[in-house]
Amino acid sequence: MNTEQAETVFVIFGSTGDLAKRKLFPSIYNLYRKGNLTDKFAVLGLGRRNWDNETLRDVVKESIVTEHGQDAASEAESFLNHFSYMPFDVTNRESYQQLGDQLAILDETFQIPGNRIFYMAMAPEFFGLIAQSINNEGLKETKGWSRLVIEKPFGTDLKSAIQLNEEIRKAFSEDEIYRIDHYLGKEMVQNIQVIRFANGIFGPLWNNRNIANIQVTSSEQLGVEGRGSYYEKSGALRDMVQNHMLQMVSLLAMDVPLQLSTDDIRSEKIKVLRALRPVMGETISKNVVRAQYSEGTMNGERVKGYLQEENVSETSHTETYVAARLMIDNHVWAGVPFYIRTGKRMAVKSTKIVVEFKELPLNLYRKEEKQTGPNLLIIHIQPDEGITIVLNGKRIGSADTTPVHLEYRHDSEDRVNTPEAYERLLFDCMMGDATNFAHWDEVSLSWSLVDAISNAWEKSDKVLASYEAGSMGPKEADQLLEADGNSWWPVENM
């Protein structure tokens, strides 16, 4: 590790919010206790609340205790001394001037060589203003580097994303901008490339000659949980498909990069997104399903439907579930459907990828009394982490065949020591590694696809599908695959 890279000031806009408390503070602490942060660092929290240093430190301590238990409180005292707080008005020029003075003090106090990470953990409508104010007030004029970390959503459609990008690019270059997608920090999402490019058994098979279809599922048991006002503006399409789901598709479909560098990996992902077949007009209903959860039973208890949730309109057409058939028009994937589905209030919490391989053209064992199934590669992303390979084998003591599951799962010790997604991504940002952050071209291409779907839905008079809370989605999503002679693999039983 380059220790000079790790010597930095984290400037967190929105440090009084939930994201900072649940994710950022524990992640920075984990980096510190593992030695990935030296004592030459500082965290400066900014927010509208009239807090002081001690108030922020109490909140940080609480978040550490929640994560690691009461014993961590005494161990964290030296860590907490690196935290300070400033009440801040993002619209006030004087606030930025005071910020500059405080950053100079922190650099001197903790011997930091002018390295700065500006983290936007607040309302996205202020991102452009903050970025330009940082630049205009000279907060980037140091001997070190400056990086801007932006949370999703990056815009609400392609038009707003372009406008936001133009505003930010006036102050920061593309290589200084880190658009965070926490899915790209997950252990098994990052493992996709290793599985594909470090194993000779998969390389020759990873194409349309051998793969029948790929299914990506991200299901949640939770509902909107008091976030109705946000979700009404977002919906599952913008909240999950535009970023998380399409990022996983691009990792699964990308060609082998020249080398494992940020630019080469991003280049191959961008090629995939450019090759996605447009979904628009009449093709929408044949390729995309949107639905909304109704009342149902979760863990033995009745739960309300989306229309009964707080801050949700009784006539809302916001989708809480999306399933889609995506086609990639290039020589590697032509003809192979990529099925994606994501939704709230579903039967299980699960993020899984199922790669279904084509069966042998002449399978001697595929007879009615000796049925065999396709070989599968299952990548378990959450809550379990690992991979499963499903083969056909002989049943012991019989001539019949049976599916054989070859499993690799991270054991409990591995999981305890596995960096949380935000921890890993913060470390990558310190090291200047943008591989697992979204490039602007990825963002714009994914918004192009999502906008076409959204626009078609707005013009459509088709009734929104419904699914019962506690189910795995609407029947229309099953029919989407049945039209191709396929079906969803049951992620809850894998």
Side-chain angles (χ1 to χ4, degrees):
M1 182 184 73
N2 184 340
T3 56
E4 289 186 2
Q5 286 286 88
E7 296 167 359
T8 185
V9 179
F10 296 90
V11 183
I12 301 177
F13 292 84
S15 62
T16 61
D18 189 54
L19 174 66
K21 183 177 180 179
R22 289 190 305 109
K23 298 294 184 181
L24 302 185
F25 298 153
S27 295
I28 295 171
Y29 176 66
N30 287 339
L31 290 171
Y32 179 73
R33 70 187 183 91
K34 292 176 182 178
N36 291 327
L37 269 180
T38 69
D39 281 326
K40 296 180 180 180
F41 85 96
V43 179
L44 178 56
L46 307 178
R48 289 181 295 181
R49 298 184 189 179
N50 193 29
W51 287 7
D52 56 19
N53 292 350
E54 291 307 313
T55 306
L56 177 64
R57 291 171 185 177
D58 287 343
V59 171
V60 175
K61 180 187 289 187
E62 181 184 346
S63 72
I64 292 172
V65 169
T66 301
E67 178 93 358
H68 297 283
Q70 193 63 45
D71 291 342
S74 58
E75 300 173 2
E77 287 305 319
S78 61
F79 171 74
L80 295 174
N81 291 333
H82 293 260
F83 281 73
S84 55
Y85 181 82
M86 272 184 60
F88 198 84
D89 179 357
V90 298
T91 65
N92 187 338
R93 182 179 179 184
E94 187 176 337
S95 288
Y96 293 93
Q97 294 169 346
Q98 293 171 353
L99 172 58
D101 294 338
Q102 184 62 26
L103 288 173
I105 293 172
L106 293 174
D107 282 347
E108 182 176 352
T109 302
F110 295 102
Q111 300 177 30
I112 299 169
N115 297 333
R116 293 167 183 180
I117 292 176
F118 299 97
Y119 199 113
M120 305 289 104
M122 57 182 302
E125 58 262 31
F126 295 111
F127 289 173
L129 171 63
I130 293 172
Q132 291 185 35
S133 297
I134 288 171
N135 186 58
N136 294 341
E137 298 305 323
L139 301 185
K140 292 176 61 185
E141 296 174 5
T142 72
K143 295 179 181 178
W145 44 256
S146 295
R147 291 166 189 154
L148 183 71
V149 182
I150 302 177
E151 279 285 339
K152 78 172 183 101
F154 194 88
T156 55
D157 54 19
L158 180 58
K159 181 180 178 181
S160 62
I162 290 173
Q163 180 180 344
L164 175 57
N165 193 61
E166 288 176 348
E167 292 173 353
I168 292 172
R169 286 296 300 273
K170 290 177 181 177
F172 289 81
S173 60
E174 179 63 34
D175 62 0
E176 293 177 319
I177 301 171
Y178 289 69
R179 301 174 189 85
I180 200 166
D181 182 337
H182 71 271
Y183 262 56
L184 294 180
K186 291 183 179 295
E187 183 68 34
M188 288 309 299
V189 172
Q190 294 193 351
N191 225 325
I192 291 172
Q193 295 177 57
V194 179
I195 292 169
R196 291 191 53 197
F197 305 140
N199 293 288
I201 61 172
F202 293 126
L205 303 180
W206 212 263
N207 52 55
N208 53 8
R209 294 186 297 278
N210 300 287
I211 292 178
N213 68 80
I214 295 180
Q215 302 179 15
V216 184
T217 298
S218 183
S219 58
E220 297 182 63
Q221 289 186 311
L222 294 175
V224 293
E225 306 301 312
R227 296 170 67 236
S229 55
Y230 163 76
Y231 208 79
E232 279 286 85
K233 300 174 185 176
S234 172
L237 184 67
R238 291 185 174 93
D239 189 46
M240 290 292 295
V241 175
Q242 185 272 329
N243 38 70
H244 307 324
M245 304 301 284
L246 289 180
Q247 282 289 335
M248 286 191 283
V249 168
S250 67
L251 287 169
L252 290 163
M254 64 181 277
D255 210 343
V256 183
L258 292 175
Q259 54 187 347
L260 295 177
S261 69
T262 299
D263 289 344
D264 287 335
I265 291 172
R266 281 177 161 182
S267 176
E268 295 303 332
K269 290 168 65 182
I270 290 166
K271 288 178 185 177
V272 171
L273 296 172
R274 283 181 177 151
L276 280 173
R277 183 181 300 173
V279 184
M280 57 185 64
E282 296 179 358
T283 65
I284 292 287
S285 60
K286 296 179 181 179
N287 291 285
V288 185
V289 172
R290 61 169 172 161
Q292 203 178 74
Y293 65 82
S294 59
E295 294 180 69
T297 302
M298 302 286 300
N299 300 319
E301 296 184 4
R302 293 295 292 178
V303 296
K304 54 191 173 184
Y306 179 72
L307 297 182
Q308 289 76 52
E309 297 280 12
E310 185 181 350
N311 297 321
V312 171
S313 168
E314 295 179 356
T315 58
S316 172
H317 285 77
T318 300
E319 74 288 349
T320 62
Y321 176 100
V322 174
R325 177 201 293 111
L326 302 177
M327 305 299 292
I328 299 171
D329 292 330
N330 61 26
H331 70 286
V332 178
W333 294 110
V336 178
F338 284 68
Y339 301 113
I340 63 173
R341 60 174 169 172
T342 181
K344 291 188 174 295
R345 282 286 185 229
M346 295 175 71
V348 293
K349 175 181 174 62
S350 178
T351 302
K352 283 187 174 66
I353 296 165
V354 181
V355 180
E356 179 181 328
F357 292 90
K358 292 181 178 179
E359 298 193 55
L360 292 170
L362 179 60
N363 188 338
L364 299 177
Y365 288 90
R366 190 160 182 80
K367 300 175 183 178
E368 186 175 346
E369 69 276 14
K370 297 178 181 179
Q371 188 78 2
T372 63
N375 299 139
L376 305 175
L377 168 65
I378 306 165
I379 303 174
H380 308 267
I381 294 173
Q382 66 177 18
D384 298 324
E385 296 177 346
I387 60 173
T388 301
I389 298 175
V390 181
L391 306 175
N392 292 303
K394 177 181 172 298
R395 191 186 302 276
I396 296 176
S398 167
D400 293 339
T401 60
T402 185
V404 177
H405 289 65
L406 308 179
E407 296 195 14
Y408 165 72
R409 301 290 178 94
H410 292 176
D411 61 30
S412 58
E413 183 177 351
D414 283 340
R415 284 198 294 272
V416 167
N417 293 318
T418 296
E420 206 274 337
Y422 275 91
E423 177 189 337
R424 183 181 289 108
L425 293 173
L426 282 173
F427 181 74
D428 286 349
C429 182
M430 287 193 305
M431 295 297 104
D433 183 356
T435 304
N436 296 306
F437 294 82
H439 187 275
W440 164 243
D441 288 349
E442 297 173 59
V443 174
S444 61
L445 288 165
S446 59
W447 270 127
S448 295
L449 178 75
V450 165
D451 275 4
I453 296 172
S454 295
N455 293 338
W457 283 350
E458 288 177 7
K459 298 174 184 176
S460 173
D461 56 0
K462 188 174 181 180
V463 177
L464 192 67
S466 176
Y467 63 101
E468 188 174 317
S471 70
M472 281 305 291
K475 66 180 186 301
E476 288 84 352
D478 297 332
Q479 294 166 355
L480 185 70
L481 276 69
E482 290 169 2
D484 298 333
N486 297 317
S487 60
W488 293 106
W489 288 99
V491 296
E492 62 268 37
N493 298 322
M494 288 182 160

